[in-house]
Amino acid sequence: MKNEKITLQTLANELGVSKVAISKALNGKSGVSDTLRQNATQLAQKLGYPLSVNIPVPEEFETKKIMIVMHEHSFRNESFTYPNLYGEMTKKFNIADQYHHELYLINSDQIHSGTFPFNSQHWDGCFIIGELPVPYVQLIQKTIPSTVLIDFSVPSLSIDSVETENYRASYQLTSWLIEQNHRKLIFVTDTNETRSSKDRYFGFLSSLDQADLLPSSIDSVKLNWEQDVTIDLNHLPDAFVCSNDRTAMILTNHLLKHNIAVPDHVTVVGFDDTAYSTMLDPAITTMQVDLSEMAKEAMKLLEDRFKQPDLSPQTRLLFPHLLERQSHADRSR
């Protein structure tokens, strides 16, 4: 090692920690233990790494303060998607130890008044998980330019985003059912209509149109409910295509209570692969959204924005994959 140049990476490799941790230890920064600070200093002296009172800290080693924002309804929503997505984001932060993050839940009053639940301290970046009104997104972006939208986008704004390719995935799911000889299909959604559910609905319609099935099913394609299920059980379709797993679970439970077998009498499919898809017997066939990959891509977008603030706005689209379970029947056999 005498002939090698001693760098922060050398010290990091010797102690089995990251360069960020070594930099913090040698510069008296918070976020590392006293033991690591002592070991890093001793190793630096032993290997001849230059120590001084003020060792320059590369910009990428500085701890950045990141805010995660979502509507309180989204965080407490029974679909589990956004709490699980927040959990995946937390895992990514724990791996990349140069970030400090905090979660803020926004309520409707704050949105209407244009106020924040956080103080005026400096933030380096922001993730917005789940759809918020455009004016409020603009307000956040004006305060924190390095903002990334997760699971939605705002075409009218120059802003980074990562989201599910809902339209194409719903088209694929519906086309797959049509290939299995399902001819009458009904799209079912709940009353909480988001852009994601609308994109899934339009993908569904496009697939029907492509198969020349649209004219015979347009009148009964879409149903809404909160608690009560209002479906004519005497005139069932071949398949219900649901906008999410919770809707699929509620519908399946309703059908089973009325002695309508799934999938023997009717197919039910969902979307997202949340816990709701496996709560009943039969488990629900669904389109699986990879939340870990979504969190990973969101982190990449923010890091790219830090490195190149003038970079053109980036959009990452993630395609779900079909997860076959027991709630569908192949009618082509």
Side-chain angles (χ1 to χ4, degrees):
M1 186 175 294
K2 291 181 180 181
N3 296 326
E4 296 179 7
K5 181 180 177 181
I6 306 302
T7 64
L8 285 177
Q9 188 62 62
T10 306
L11 304 182
N13 292 341
E14 286 288 317
L15 295 177
V17 296
S18 67
K19 289 194 297 184
V20 178
I22 291 295
S23 177
K24 290 179 179 179
L26 297 181
N27 284 277
K29 299 286 185 178
S30 60
V32 296
S33 67
D34 291 338
T35 300
L36 177 57
R37 204 181 307 280
Q38 182 179 358
N39 291 342
T41 301
Q42 290 176 351
L43 181 62
Q45 292 172 338
K46 176 182 176 181
L47 298 181
Y49 184 83
L51 293 174
S52 61
V53 177
N54 294 308
I55 300 174
V57 183
E59 183 179 348
E60 66 266 26
F61 292 168
E62 290 283 6
T63 299
K64 294 185 181 297
K65 297 182 64 177
I66 310 299
M67 180 192 311
I68 300 178
V69 174
M70 73 176 83
H71 197 290
E72 62 179 8
H73 174 74
S74 297
F75 189 76
R76 299 186 176 96
N77 191 287
E78 296 177 355
S79 71
F80 306 123
T81 299
Y82 291 142
N84 290 344
L85 181 53
Y86 171 67
E88 292 297 331
M89 294 297 300
T90 300
K91 293 177 185 177
K92 299 296 184 284
F93 280 120
N94 290 339
I95 294 173
D97 56 2
Q98 70 267 38
Y99 298 121
H100 168 76
H101 73 280
E102 292 185 20
L103 171 67
Y104 289 94
L105 301 181
I106 308 297
N107 59 45
S108 297
D109 290 338
Q110 290 162 340
I111 290 175
H112 293 319
S113 62
T115 57
F116 297 138
F118 47 86
N119 58 35
S120 58
Q121 60 185 308
H122 176 69
W123 295 93
D124 296 294
C126 176
F127 292 110
I128 302 178
I129 299 179
E131 197 167 342
L132 290 179
V134 174
Y136 201 77
V137 173
Q138 283 181 297
L139 195 61
I140 293 176
Q141 187 187 26
K142 184 178 180 180
T143 306
I144 312 170
S146 296
T147 293
V148 177
L149 310 182
I150 305 179
D151 202 38
F152 78 111
S153 63
V154 181
S156 60
L157 297 182
S158 296
I159 191 167
D160 298 320
S161 64
V162 55
E163 59 181 324
T164 302
E165 180 44 291
N166 290 296
Y167 177 91
R168 289 177 56 212
S170 183
Y171 178 96
Q172 181 190 66
L173 175 62
T174 307
S175 299
W176 174 72
L177 291 173
I178 293 172
E179 289 172 2
Q180 295 185 340
N181 206 34
H182 295 79
R183 288 295 176 264
K184 184 178 181 183
L185 299 95
I186 294 180
F187 187 87
V188 188
T189 186
D190 56 26
T191 55
N192 181 31
E193 286 193 300
T194 62
R195 182 182 166 189
S196 294
S197 65
K198 292 176 182 177
D199 286 345
R200 294 170 186 179
Y201 173 59
F202 291 133
F204 167 84
L205 288 180
S206 181
S207 178
L208 290 185
D209 185 37
Q210 185 69 27
D212 293 326
L213 295 177
L214 185 59
S216 64
S217 28
I218 186 66
D219 292 337
S220 57
V221 121
K222 196 174 182 183
L223 302 173
N224 296 287
W225 66 68
E226 286 182 286
Q227 298 297 329
D228 297 327
V229 180
T230 54
I231 290 178
D232 185 356
L233 300 180
N234 295 316
H235 298 87
L236 291 173
D238 297 329
F240 289 106
V241 179
C242 299
S243 63
N244 55 62
D245 292 332
R246 180 171 181 263
T247 300
M249 187 273 289
I250 293 172
L251 173 60
T252 301
N253 190 50
H254 179 75
L255 294 171
L256 296 176
K257 284 182 177 179
H258 288 81
N259 298 316
I260 297 174
V262 177
D264 293 343
H265 294 157
V266 63
T267 285
V268 178
V269 295
F271 210 108
D272 291 326
D273 188 32
T274 59
Y276 284 111
S277 63
T278 56
M279 283 184 174
L280 296 178
D281 183 12
I284 296 169
T285 293
T286 187
M287 294 297 285
Q288 185 180 58
V289 177
D290 191 336
L291 298 182
S292 177
E293 186 66 18
M294 184 172 286
K296 178 182 176 181
E297 290 299 322
M299 291 288 289
K300 286 182 180 179
L301 283 173
L302 188 63
E303 290 169 352
D304 289 346
R305 182 59 52 193
F306 287 151
K307 295 174 183 177
Q308 302 183 63
D310 297 328
L311 188 69
S312 298
Q314 305 293 305
T315 297
R316 306 277 172 84
L317 293 176
L318 304 181
F319 199 94
H321 74 269
L322 180 63
L323 190 59
E324 296 186 42
R325 292 200 176 104
Q326 294 80 45
S327 67
H328 76 278
D330 189 343
R331 295 172 179 266
S332 63
R333 296 174 182 174

